[in-house]
Amino acid sequence: MRPHNAPRQVDVDSHQKRDQPNTDITAQDYLFGRKATVWVFALLCLLMVFDFADRMIIASLLPYIQRDWAINDAQAGFLSSILTIGMVLFAFPVSIVIDRWRRIKTASLMGIFWGIASAAGAITQSFSQLAATRLLVGAGEAAYAPASYAWISAAFPHRRLQLALGLFSASQPIGMAIGIALGGLIAQHFGWRYALGVMAIPGIVIALLLYKGRDYRTILPIPLPAQVFAGKALDSASSAMVQQLTHRQVIRQNWHSIRQTPSLLLTYLAAAMATLQWVPIVFFLPSYLHRVHQIELATASLLTSSILLIGIVTLPLGGWVMDRLTQKYPSSKLYIAAAGYALATLLYVLAFSLVSGLWLQFALIIVAGALLTFL
């Protein structure tokens, strides 16, 4: 996230610069003007919707896959988590590639890649083949979020940044809800293979539209060797070394900054623990409702998706509230986040340990999810 008064280290591509200056006062501090920024932002949000739809669809399909292939709960859990493993393995290397190349084109190509990988799951013939396709989906999605967040942080003015990030993050629960609800309905009527194939198509189409979106070029500090100051031209080997060292220096500097910021490290840890809470709940809630409360699978998927829809309100609302609150109390977000995570944990414990009634349990899960998405 860009500091409040920090200059933007970006440069709009020369072929994308406008011939005339932007005379719209309300849009002057948007990197590409308000209209162009909102257009690309809308495509990023839509692609994020189907990112999470393709990611979470497996939650509603697990009971059908278990029935067809006779896999146990441990294998079902692995099938749910293998996508995350792919994201973890590829997130850091692709983030480096993003900094050295194009954010929008990277997001577009990775959207096409994970869409094809997700659709390929429809023609798999074994558990291992399906797991491999889910791993590839995770690899593709690993590049999308870093590229999108970097672009949004640079393209929007500071006064709109938290709201933009909140709206973008709100695409996540929408996508989860769509993936689980439609996945369950399609699987019930046509089979789980059709669900994987059909849900992959919109993401591929949106990714193709995004490819021509406006982007910026990162300006990196390049240490100039002695030849430059002596008025001598650099050969190709020296130029390559300069570029390579520049990126290494930037990576080392960023890594050093992260290690020297305890609040950031604790935030990463808290986010990981929060994810450890809600991801298993979302993935296995349809199966849980079906087994424990004897609810039909399609209905269980719809109930699970309804829990996720609360994030449509809480995510942008949280961004809007934090925008205003941190203007007066800069440290307040840390205390609010800590209190919210603690309360959400308590509610989850109550829901699954001490409460047996369906609707009270359901209400506790909704409130806990609302807290996590608001923060």
Side-chain angles (χ1 to χ4, degrees):
M1 187 179 298
R2 188 176 65 251
H4 180 68
N5 295 319
R8 297 178 181 180
Q9 299 297 313
V10 297
D11 182 29
V12 181
D13 290 342
S14 59
H15 71 278
Q16 293 175 332
K17 291 182 179 178
R18 297 180 182 273
D19 295 329
Q20 300 295 331
N22 189 350
T23 57
D24 184 356
I25 296 177
T26 62
Q28 283 181 352
D29 46 1
Y30 289 84
L31 187 60
F32 306 105
R34 184 166 57 187
K35 183 180 294 186
T37 299
V38 170
W39 167 247
V40 176
F41 176 70
L43 290 177
L44 289 174
C45 288
L46 285 173
L47 193 55
M48 177 64 94
V49 167
F50 289 98
D51 172 343
F52 274 81
D54 289 338
R55 185 183 306 187
M56 301 303 298
I57 190 174
I58 201 72
S60 61
L61 305 184
L62 282 178
Y64 300 97
I65 297 172
Q66 286 184 285
R67 181 189 62 194
D68 289 354
W69 286 348
I71 63 175
N72 56 38
D73 287 342
Q75 290 174 304
F78 180 77
L79 200 57
S80 301
S81 60
I82 187 67
L83 185 147
T84 305
I85 294 173
M87 295 181 66
V88 171
L89 291 176
F90 289 94
F92 184 71
V94 298
S95 296
I96 297 175
V97 173
I98 290 168
D99 279 337
R100 301 184 68 162
W101 198 50
R102 305 286 181 178
R103 289 150 187 81
I104 294 301
K105 284 183 170 55
T106 299
S108 172
L109 293 176
M110 289 300 98
I112 296 170
F113 178 82
W114 91 59
I116 294 173
S118 183
I123 60 174
T124 55
Q125 299 300 317
S126 67
F127 169 80
S128 59
Q129 290 177 1
L130 182 57
T133 63
R134 301 306 293 174
L135 179 69
L136 293 177
V137 172
E141 292 180 351
Y144 175 68
S148 300
Y149 279 114
W151 187 92
I152 293 169
S153 296
F156 278 85
H158 184 79
R159 71 178 190 278
R160 294 284 185 265
L161 181 57
Q162 294 296 328
L163 179 60
L165 292 173
L167 290 171
F168 181 67
S169 298
S171 304
Q172 299 176 14
I174 295 174
M176 292 180 189
I178 290 175
I180 294 175
L182 288 184
L185 288 174
I186 295 173
Q188 183 184 37
H189 292 92
F190 303 101
W192 62 267
R193 296 180 184 277
Y194 282 91
L196 284 174
V198 170
M199 291 299 295
I201 295 173
I204 296 175
V205 173
I206 296 168
L208 289 170
L209 293 174
L210 181 65
Y211 187 79
K212 292 295 185 179
R214 299 184 67 175
D215 205 350
Y216 65 89
R217 182 173 60 253
T218 301
I219 300 174
L220 296 175
I222 300 177
L224 298 178
Q227 297 98 301
V228 175
F229 297 101
K232 299 178 181 179
L234 291 175
D235 56 28
S236 58
S238 299
S239 299
M241 181 61 67
V242 168
Q243 185 71 6
Q244 184 181 23
L245 290 175
T246 299
H247 283 280
R248 286 180 178 177
Q249 289 174 346
V250 171
I251 293 170
R252 284 199 299 266
Q253 183 180 10
N254 290 341
W255 178 243
H256 178 75
S257 299
I258 291 172
R259 289 190 293 110
Q260 297 300 316
T261 311
S263 59
L264 182 59
L265 294 174
L266 291 173
T267 300
Y268 287 155
L269 179 61
M273 294 300 101
T275 302
L276 188 62
Q277 284 182 336
W278 70 264
V279 168
I281 292 174
V282 172
F283 268 115
F284 284 103
L285 193 57
S287 298
Y288 174 85
L289 293 174
H290 176 65
R291 293 183 187 181
V292 176
H293 296 289
Q294 289 77 49
I295 297 176
E296 187 182 30
L297 284 173
T299 304
S301 297
L302 288 173
L303 287 174
T304 302
S305 65
S306 68
I307 293 176
L308 298 169
L309 289 176
I310 192 68
I312 298 174
V313 176
T314 54
L315 278 166
L317 178 62
W320 182 82
V321 170
M322 290 301 176
D323 268 342
R324 281 147 183 78
L325 194 60
T326 53
Q327 289 178 4
K328 292 185 177 180
Y329 310 101
S331 300
S332 59
K333 64 175 67 176
L334 297 177
Y335 298 107
I336 293 175
Y341 284 145
L343 182 56
T345 301
L346 177 61
L347 292 176
Y348 280 135
V349 171
L350 290 174
F352 291 101
S353 299
L354 302 176
V355 174
S356 58
L358 170 62
W359 297 114
L360 179 56
Q361 191 177 55
F362 203 70
L364 291 172
I365 295 172
I366 288 178
V367 175
L371 282 171
L372 291 178
T373 52
F374 180 84
L375 302 174

